[in-house]
Every structure is written in C-alpha cells, then in structure tokens.
C-alpha cells in the first residue's frame, strides 16, 4: 500500500448529511464499446486510437467494458453499491453519426433505457453531453477550431434534451474542456492529436461558446427544471521559487481562468490575452459571444486528482516537464512553454500523480472565495493503482487498500471544506469500473469495480465495498 508522509487527511467516521449526493462516474468512449453498432458514427477517439502509436499497446474503445450490452447488469451493480447518483456521458456520434441532423432513434433509446433504469433503482442521472468523443465528420471540417462546431453542439444538446429532458436530473455540458482544447489541439496527446498552439486557443473559445449555447438549449428544451453544470479539471498550482508567482499566474490563466471567467464572469482575463498575444490575436471572439457564454450554472463540476508545481524556466538547464500528462512532443501551454513543471513529492498513484488531498480542500475553498454563490460538486476524484486479483474462499477479491486510502483522504478533504461552509453538493468517484484510460489504453485501472477484459467479468474491489458502507452509513468507515 502507498503510505503517505502526511498523517493528515485520514479521518474515519466523518459524517455526510443526507443531501450530499455520493455516486460514481464513467464516460461513453471509456466503457461502452459497440463502436459501430446501431448507427453510431466514428468519433475522433476511434480515429485516434486506431492510428498506430497514439495509444498504449494499440488499445481502442471498440469493445471497452462492453457496457453498451451489459448496461442492465451494470445498473444492478450500481444499485448493489447503493449509489445515489451516476455520472455518465452521452456519445454524440450515437445521436448524430456525422454531428448534425435528426437524432438517431437507436442512440436515443440506449440512453433513454439507461436513464429509466437509473430512476427505477433510485439513482440520480447526471448526464454529460461531451466527454471528448466528437463526431469525426465535424473534425474533418476543423473540429473545435471551427466555430460551426459550437452551433452543432447546441443542436445536438437540444436533440438530446428533447428526448431525455423530462428525466435527467443534472446536465453537464462539457467534461474538462481544458483537455479537449490543449491536449487535443496543443500537445497532441489526445484526439484529434493536433499540435498547434493557435488551434488550441481557438478551440478554447469555441468550447466556451458551445457550453453557453448548450446551456440555453437545455434550459429551453427540458421540462423537469434540471440542474445545469459544466465540469473542469481545475489546476491547483504550487511553487516556491522566486519565479513561481509569475509561472502560477500564467498557468492559472490558461488552465483555469480561460474557461471559468468567460463562463461565470463573461470576460476573458486581460493577462491571458497578453500572455498569448504571440500565438493568436483572439479575433475568433466575436461581439456578443461572451454574453452567450456567461450563463448561470446551478452547480459547478470539479474534477480533482493532484497538484502541479511550477517556476519559470531559465532557458539553460534541461527543462522539467512534469505536468501530469503524457508528453508526446507538443505543448499544452500555448504562449507559456517557458513554464517548467517540477517533479513533486510523493506518494504517487500509478499515473505518477502526487497524492495531495490538501490540494482538493484548497481548491474548494478557493472556488468558494472566487464565486461565493456558486454551488459545487466533485464530479471526479479517484486513483489508478496496480490492482491484484486474489482467490479467496468467497471468490475473487481485489484488496485495493491504496485506493481506499486515497478516497478516504479526499473524502476527508471534502468534509473539511464542508465544515468551512463550502456549498459542496456531492462527490462522484472516478470510476465505477476499470476502463479505457485514453492515451494509456487499458494499462491504468481507476475502477472501484475490476473488469476482466478477456471475459468482461466484473469484481467488486474492496474500495467498492468501502463506498457502499460510506453511502449506507453516511460516514467514512472506521479504519
Ligand atoms: C477526465 C477524465 C477521465 C479520466 C480520469 C483519469 O475527465 O480526466 O474525464 O476520463 O479517465 O480523469 O485520468
């Protein structure tokens, strides 16, 4: 088990009130499989994963967890765990194979059955409209660098809401637009694998615009007064070098404020525009766009895994580049490639990410201070570890004590934030089951349920039982 230097953040018996919604999360391309079934068109992740050299081991989402066929038994597992909520994503290319036009009834039916199955089991549906599987046909026309993609997304959002907008409790427009823009178009680590800083910043704006337009469409088309949200992977940025304040400001502008300021304040930060002036003039921002983007949100989704530590590069010594993402040559930091990401103190998860529950508490407090009236929800938190299956008298078990410890520490951090008055509505553990971890393929396991990819057998890990007890008792289990 990973042991940590900090004995902190490890309280047992912490109580969570009845309104704090505890569940788990997944995403379409990571679990569904059935990539060519029932009229689903190709997405940028199909193309990317089938391109040699892009994903570890040549892994693809063609089959994944076969959830598309096993959704019903997967729902039963969720019910066994007592999940109060389930955060899933809808695959745009199942609804519109080429990214526009009428909704594909078979795609709609799949999600409609899923939502009904959740409601029948008393589980609250939290639907993400975009967890990175852009229809390839739209990418062929420029993808997120093309303004029209934002309008196509709004159309797709309205089609989905017309079908499910009487039952979904919470709609999340985008998952981690930071990844879509900067890893997709800047570093090239994610689909579509482009490495162009100007394209990445153009994508930032069109994703923001897509979010604002989609919020309006969902509000218009839904009949059950749902909660509207968006999910960000906010960067918690540290550093104690003399140059760290400048490096922190730059990364905060690119990673956090580039999204949250237009969305919640209706403006792009002036320093962001200055820092990136050598990359783009931002002329893709048109009059009226910021008003479209700036829509009130019922809840702001927070994904948190670890921190980053930065300083400015001196231009001489070998450049450190530990920003937690696969380094494939391109930079996800347009205009700030001279920021160094330093190695951080352990312990680490199998992703190499440092375990820092204090970073989650700090993030929640900081968001409360910046946006005092904005309710928050942890929409992802969890960890990959090298699990082992052991045969026991009661069948195969996975004793993932390190994942339990990780979750316990982060629930402790959430509890501390709640105790300080943060309006935190819930916690969705990433992930319900092992799945396709993007560029890392199936080599990293984040699930609280083990998936045997040969047989598709599901095994509840000890962390799943831990979560079950937490939800049932409303207390973090005693250690
Ligand atoms: C994310 C991702 C997930 C990842 C998880 C672990 O939103 O970053 O949504 O799909 O699998 O974060 O890297």
């Amino acid at each position: 088990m990973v042991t940590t230097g900090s004995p902190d953040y490890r309280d047992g018996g912490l109580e969570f009130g009845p309104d704090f919604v505890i569940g788990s999360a997944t995403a379409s391309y990571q679990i569904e499989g059935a990539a060519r079934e029932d009229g689903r068109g190709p997405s940028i992740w199909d193309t990317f994963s089938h391109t040699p050299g892009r994903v570890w081991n040549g892994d693809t989402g063609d089959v994944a967890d076969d959830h598309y066929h096993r959704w019903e038994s997967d729902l039963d597992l969720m019910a066994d765990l007592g999940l109060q909520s389930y955060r899933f994503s809808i695959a745009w290319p199942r609804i519109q194979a080429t990214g526009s036009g009428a909704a594909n009834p078979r795609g709609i039916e799949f999600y409609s059955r899923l939502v009904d199955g959740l409601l029948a089991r008393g589980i609250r549906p939290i639907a993400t409209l975009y967890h990175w599987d852009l229809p390839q046909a739209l990418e062929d026309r420029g993808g997120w660098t093309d303004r029209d993609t934002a309008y196509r997304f709004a159309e797709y959002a309205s089609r989905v809401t017309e079908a499910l907008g009487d039952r979904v409790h919470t709609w999340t427009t985008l998952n981690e637009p930071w990844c879509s823009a900067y890893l997709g178009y800047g570093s090239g680590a994610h689909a579509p694998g482009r490495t162009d800083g100007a394209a990445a910043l153009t994508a930032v704006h069109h994703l923001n615009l897509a979010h604002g337009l989609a919020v309006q469409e969902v509000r218009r088309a839904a009949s059950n007064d749902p909660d509207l949200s968006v999910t960000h992977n906010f960067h918690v940025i540290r550093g104690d070098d003399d140059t760290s304040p400048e490096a922190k400001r730059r990364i905060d502008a690119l990673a956090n404020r580039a999204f949250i300021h237009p969305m919640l304040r209706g403006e792009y930060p002036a320093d962001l525009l200055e820092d990136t002036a050598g990359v783009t003039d931002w002329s893709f921002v048109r009059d009226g766009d910021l008003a479209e983007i700036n829509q009130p949100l019922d809840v702001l989704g927070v994904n948190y895994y670890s921190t980053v530590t930065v300083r400015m590069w001196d231009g001489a010594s070998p450049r450190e580049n530990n920003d937690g993402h696969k380094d494939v040559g391109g930079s996800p930091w347009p205009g700030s490639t001279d920021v160094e990401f330093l190695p951080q103190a352990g312990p680490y998860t199998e992703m190499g990410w440092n375990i820092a529950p204090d970073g989650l508490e700090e993030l929640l407090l900081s968001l409360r201070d910046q946006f005092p009236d904005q309710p928050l929800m942890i929409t992802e938190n969890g960890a990959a570890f090298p699990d082992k299956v052991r045969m026991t008298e009661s069948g195969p078990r996975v004793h993932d004590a390190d994942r339990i410890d990780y979750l316990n520490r982060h629930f402790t951090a959430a509890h501390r934030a709640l105790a300080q008055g943060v309006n935190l509505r819930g916690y969705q553990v990433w992930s319900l089951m092992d799945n396709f971890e993007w560029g890392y393929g199936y080599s990293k396991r984040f699930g609280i349920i083990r998936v045997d990819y040969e047989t598709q057998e599901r095994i509840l890990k000890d962390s799943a039982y831990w979560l079950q007890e937490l939800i049932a008792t409303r207390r973090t289990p005693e250690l």
Side-chain angles (χ1 to χ4, degrees):
M1 177 175 128
V2 175
T3 50
T4 170
S6 91
D8 267 6
Y9 292 91
R10 208 161 175 267
D11 305 341
L14 294 174
E15 194 169 342
F16 289 89
D19 297 335
F20 190 79
V21 180
I22 303 175
S24 189
T26 63
S28 49
Y29 190 70
Q30 297 183 273
I31 64 164
E32 285 179 1
R36 279 173 285 274
E37 261 173 72
D38 290 345
R40 178 185 178 280
S43 83
I44 55 174
W45 270 97
D46 295 290
T47 308
F48 190 78
S49 65
H50 279 273
T51 305
R54 294 297 206 174
V55 173
W56 179 87
N57 193 40
D59 289 350
T60 74
D62 286 2
V63 178
D65 294 342
D66 195 34
H67 170 75
Y68 191 76
H69 299 117
R70 293 165 196 267
W71 60 275
E72 209 162 4
S73 46
D74 287 340
L75 286 178
D76 289 340
L77 290 175
M78 297 178 211
D80 288 349
L81 295 181
L83 298 191
Q84 295 178 278
S85 51
Y86 174 52
R87 174 178 181 249
F88 62 99
S89 82
I90 295 172
W92 186 350
R94 283 198 198 283
I95 308 300
Q96 295 174 313
T98 56
S100 66
N104 166 18
R106 286 170 298 171
I108 292 287
E109 273 161 30
F110 172 70
Y111 296 107
S112 188
R113 285 193 302 261
L114 184 73
V115 168
D116 286 344
L118 288 167
L119 294 172
R121 291 165 179 80
I123 303 170
R124 178 185 288 189
I126 303 177
T128 300
L129 286 164
Y130 186 72
H131 202 123
W132 310 349
D133 35 9
L134 183 72
Q136 179 63 40
L138 293 183
E139 178 57 31
D140 295 342
R141 292 166 27 190
W144 289 112
T145 68
D146 181 11
R147 183 177 173 91
D148 190 52
T149 298
Y151 293 94
R152 298 282 65 75
F153 182 69
E155 181 193 67
Y156 152 70
S158 88
R159 296 274 179 276
V160 175
T161 314
E162 279 155 16
L164 307 177
D166 53 343
R167 287 163 286 160
V168 167
H169 181 280
T170 302
W171 292 95
T172 297
T173 55
L174 307 174
N175 175 71
E176 302 191 356
W178 183 91
C179 294
S180 301
Y182 296 114
L183 299 183
Y185 295 86
S187 86
H190 279 188
R194 291 173 59 183
T195 51
D196 172 351
L201 293 169
T202 312
V204 166
H205 179 62
H206 293 151
L207 283 154
N208 283 332
L209 182 60
H211 158 80
L213 296 171
V215 167
Q216 297 175 62
E217 286 303 319
V218 175
R219 284 215 200 279
R220 184 189 54 72
S223 59
N224 65 343
D225 191 22
D227 282 353
L228 264 293
S229 75
V230 65
T231 276
H232 293 292
N233 54 323
F234 292 101
H235 281 57
V236 176
I237 312 162
R238 298 179 162 170
D240 51 17
D241 185 82
D242 286 351
T243 65
S244 292
E246 167 68 1
K248 281 191 203 172
R249 183 193 61 70
R250 298 245 223 127
I251 298 308
D252 180 51
L254 277 168
N256 301 330
R257 290 183 280 121
F259 300 100
I260 203 68
H261 279 203
M263 287 182 182
L264 293 182
R265 293 191 174 152
E267 63 189 21
Y268 279 106
D271 61 332
L272 171 71
L273 306 187
E274 271 167 44
D275 294 344
T276 55
V279 182
T280 177
D281 61 6
W282 291 78
S283 55
F284 42 76
V285 181
R286 300 203 188 150
D287 282 355
D289 283 1
L290 284 156
E292 300 279 18
I293 296 168
N294 180 22
Q295 300 297 325
L297 296 177
D298 302 293
V299 61
L300 176 62
V302 176
N303 289 359
Y304 175 82
Y305 292 91
S306 62
T307 61
V308 292
T309 297
V310 297
R311 72 177 174 210
M312 298 307 296
W313 182 41
D314 63 15
S317 34
R319 196 169 156 282
E320 298 279 5
N321 192 17
N322 299 278
D323 71 356
H325 300 281
K326 218 175 161 190
D327 186 358
V328 294
S331 173
W333 303 108
S336 285
T337 52
D338 50 347
V339 171
E340 274 190 305
F341 289 80
L342 304 177
Q344 303 178 90
Y348 310 99
T349 70
E350 202 192 3
M351 298 296 284
W353 298 344
N354 60 311
I355 299 174
D358 52 324
L360 176 58
E361 182 184 353
E362 181 184 324
L363 172 60
L364 295 170
L365 294 173
S366 147
L367 288 170
R368 188 267 312 269
D369 293 345
Q370 294 174 69
F371 309 102
D373 301 323
Q374 182 62 63
L376 308 174
M377 160 92 80
I378 297 168
T379 37
E380 282 180 33
N381 174 253
F385 287 107
D387 300 322
K388 287 198 176 56
V389 183
R390 291 181 207 285
M391 278 315 293
T392 70
E393 278 169 16
S394 56
R397 294 288 297 255
V398 179
H399 297 307
D400 57 340
D402 32 23
R403 185 173 291 102
I404 291 174
D405 187 58
Y406 181 99
L407 292 174
N408 183 48
R409 287 175 194 280
H410 289 79
F411 269 95
T412 302
H415 196 271
R416 291 186 188 187
L418 282 165
Q420 291 164 83
V422 172
N423 187 354
L424 182 64
R425 298 280 175 87
Y427 201 123
Q428 313 305 316
V429 172
W430 185 270
S431 178
L432 178 69
M433 45 190 170
D434 295 337
N435 60 46
F436 177 81
E437 177 56 23
W438 309 111
Y440 298 90
Y442 298 99
S443 67
K444 308 288 184 221
R445 293 177 176 272
F446 275 88
I448 56 172
I449 297 175
R450 166 106 184 169
V451 176
D452 179 327
Y453 295 114
E454 299 291 316
T455 63
Q456 293 295 342
E457 185 191 2
R458 274 81 162 132
I459 301 170
L460 270 57
K461 302 181 192 177
D462 287 359
S463 56
Y465 294 110
W466 180 88
L467 191 70
Q468 183 182 46
E469 185 179 339
L470 164 56
I471 297 171
T473 62
R474 310 304 303 172
R475 283 173 185 275
T476 49
E478 296 293 347
L479 299 166

